[in-house]
Amino acid sequence: MTPLKDLNVVNPDQSTQTNSNLHGRIWDPVNECLNRETLVQLQTSRLKETLLRVYRHVPSYQKKFLQAEIRPEEVRSLEDLQRLPFTTKEDLRLSYPYGMFAVPMREVVRIHSSSGTTGKPTVVGYSRHDLQTWTELAARFMTAAGVTEDDIVHIAFGYGLFTGAFGLHYGAERIGASVIPMSSGNTDKQIMIMQDYRSTALVCTPSYALTVADRLEKSGIDPRSLSLRVGLFGAEPWSEEMRREIQERLGIVATDNYGLSEVMGPGIAGECQHRCGMHLFEDHFIPEIIDPDSGQVLPAGEVGELVLTTITKEAFPMVRYRTRDITRLDYSPCPCGRTSVRMAKTMGRSDDMLIIKGVNVFPTQIEEILFQVEGCEPHYQLVVERVGSLDTLEVQVEVNDRIFFDEMKKQRAFIDHLEKRFLSALGVGAKVKLVEPSSIPRHEGKANRIIDRRP
Ligand code: DLL
């Protein structure tokens, strides 16, 4: 473990203050740099408490545990977690709206809800203590991304039931940064505020960061004339290529952070300045990676579905929640000194995985290729159809103004080139359709890349 004196502590409540900027700043070094043995002890005792709480206070957990013939007291180690049943979005739907709350409503001080696209949303609640935890964890990952009390944090997530804006808002205030609660939409106004208020940190989805870059370009504003230096992006999958594109076009460092409303909102994991995976706050969440088909826990390092158990939440604890997000865990040491496991950038949700002629394809894989090809704009849409019993994929790609819409031969050669790249990288063919600049809808929040026309 890195000795505390070698870390740059910034949390005013932990002021064993230090020197070096070598590792970047660490908000809560005591808890972010625990050695594994201490961490496992802490996780085990917190897990036991959580299980007792849900068993006593949440009828659906009690029922599930009884069905699985396991009582909370029988869970004595982290390995025993595997004996517990999973919790799924369907469980949350069945208990809509408040059936899975583990405290009386008088102790719930905030309600949020997930951005479900179909049916009823899922409702989540926070106690006062949960909000404090959330704020601390947001301060952790924002500090890891490089935000300090000198930053002017421009929050372009929508304020509302979505957890994005509030999570980062309180985290930034906790750090002591100046927060601009801009909310989403009206890109021209966002840019005006960024210019006039000298925003230094941009908080939004990665796809919206590109929308901002497009608008700056169209308005003839040099991004380098803004004060932006760092971006904290999350809430949707994005590739390394997209990171490069955002960094180049906005002239900032782009960092990734991860969360989901059912478990907490943003503040589950985030990148440090080394950007080699997102530090997952294991003193609050226990991660597992499972095979999404069999439900079997996979060995460390393998790619699979992330399952999370909350171990400090009061109002809305989740036991073995299936996130549907596909990722991998890395337990190797990180040069920043934090000791937590790191989750890889998620490839996407298992729900978004397309199976084209038997081959699994994630939209982010297509994105990676598009961003490498000169002439493509970073805006695309995937159309999936079923012909007979086979699924087919069409990739609609925006091309930039400089490209030959009127020259058929060149256009054909460009399509052939892209189709070959897809075939060799994905192992399956995709049809490419070029579309006019600016014709693919832009999103203010999460981008919706897939049009599914399958019956
Ligand atoms: O998107 C919470 C959040 C807000 C995270 C702002 C980060 C920043 P939900 O609306 O419930 O909550 O959606 C959660 O979004 O299961 C993932 O599929 C996806 N997601 C979130 N962060 C990332 C990320 C918020 N960094 C769902 N990379 C999750 C890829 C992400 N996917």
Side-chain angles (χ1 to χ4, degrees), residues 107-119:
E107 287 176 36
V108 172
V109 298
R110 177 86 69 76
I111 289 167
H112 277 285
S113 149
S114 83
S115 48
T117 41
T118 49

Side-chain angles (χ1 to χ4, degrees), residues 159-422:
Y159 279 74
L161 287 173
F162 176 55
T163 52
F166 281 96
L168 281 105
H169 179 116
Y170 284 101
E173 280 190 355
R174 178 80 177 99
I175 291 172
S178 317
V179 178
I180 304 176
M182 187 66 209
S183 206
S184 56
N186 199 342
T187 307
D188 288 326
K189 189 163 176 202
Q190 301 263 1
I191 290 174
M192 185 190 84
I193 300 275
M194 276 180 219
Q195 286 178 309
D196 295 352
Y197 299 7
R198 299 191 293 278
S199 315
T200 60
L202 175 61
V203 171
C204 59
T205 53
S207 55
Y208 190 64
L210 281 182
T211 303
V212 171
D214 281 353
R215 192 63 61 86
L216 284 168
E217 206 167 281
K218 276 212 181 87
S219 321
I221 301 170
D222 178 3
R224 268 91 184 158
S225 70
L226 303 178
S227 308
L228 285 183
R229 59 171 202 85
V230 61
L232 293 99
F233 304 127
E236 66 184 11
W238 53 307
S239 60
E240 284 299 335
E241 293 298 330
M242 181 147 170
R243 188 203 306 265
R244 257 192 286 282
E245 171 101 13
I246 294 174
Q247 298 198 139
E248 257 167 44
R249 291 182 62 193
L250 287 181
I252 60 173
V253 171
T255 63
D256 194 5
N257 67 85
Y258 170 85
L260 65 161
S261 15
E262 294 89 330
V263 174
M264 163 73 84
I268 294 171
E271 284 177 335
C272 66
Q273 281 156 325
H274 297 278
R275 289 180 287 157
C276 52
M278 295 181 273
H279 288 278
L280 195 150
F281 303 132
E282 288 179 275
D283 49 330
H284 295 270
F285 312 101
I286 303 180
E288 297 169 277
I289 296 288
I290 62 163
D291 175 329
D293 297 325
S294 70
Q296 284 304 308
V297 174
L298 296 173
E302 289 204 15
V303 174
E305 179 183 335
L306 177 69
V307 169
L308 290 169
T309 298
T310 68
I311 48 174
T312 52
K313 277 177 73 186
E314 292 178 343
F316 196 71
M318 282 284 107
V319 177
R320 302 198 87 201
Y321 185 70
R322 289 191 62 161
T323 65
R324 300 270 161 207
D325 293 319
I326 304 297
T327 185
R328 175 165 41 78
L329 296 178
D330 181 356
Y331 287 86
S332 69
C334 179
C336 75
R338 291 173 184 81
T339 52
S340 64
V341 69
R342 301 187 305 285
M343 64 179 269
K345 249 178 167 324
T346 81
M347 297 176 73
R349 297 177 62 75
S350 54
D351 319 346
D352 285 344
M353 188 180 78
L354 305 169
I355 306 181
I356 310 295
K357 299 180 186 143
V359 178
N360 301 348
V361 177
F362 280 99
T364 43
Q365 290 172 283
I366 292 174
E367 182 180 291
E368 293 245 18
I369 299 164
L370 287 179
F371 281 24
Q372 288 163 8
V373 176
E374 177 66 24
C376 298
E377 287 288 301
H379 302 286
Y380 64 95
Q381 213 148 36
L382 309 178
V383 182
V384 192
E385 278 176 300
R386 184 157 294 158
V387 182
S389 60
L390 290 182
D391 288 344
T392 61
L393 173 63
E394 179 182 270
V395 183
Q396 298 186 345
V397 186
E398 256 185 36
V399 285
N400 59 38
D401 298 328
R402 297 183 288 283
I403 223 161
F404 50 73
F405 242 94
D406 37 0
E407 288 182 60
M408 285 300 285
K409 226 167 145 187
K410 281 193 184 163
Q411 208 183 105
R412 191 61 248 166
F414 187 68
I415 292 176
D416 282 349
H417 173 64
L418 269 175
E419 289 181 346
K420 276 194 192 115
R421 290 289 299 266
F422 286 135

Side-chain angles (χ1 to χ4, degrees), residues 1-12 14-35 140 143-144 272-274 279 333-340:
M1 188 167 90
T2 312
L4 274 189
K5 65 177 171 45
D6 289 345
L7 301 167
N8 196 1
V9 184
V10 287
N11 180 345
Q14 295 197 353
S15 45
T16 44
Q17 285 296 338
T18 61
N19 39 39
S20 94
N21 248 331
L22 195 65
H23 305 291
R25 294 171 151 204
I26 298 187
W27 177 256
D28 181 357
V30 171
N31 291 306
E32 291 182 73
C33 305
L34 291 170
N35 67 42
R140 275 192 199 179
T143 301
C272 66
Q273 281 156 325
H274 297 278
H279 288 278
C334 179
C336 75
R338 291 173 184 81
T339 52
S340 64

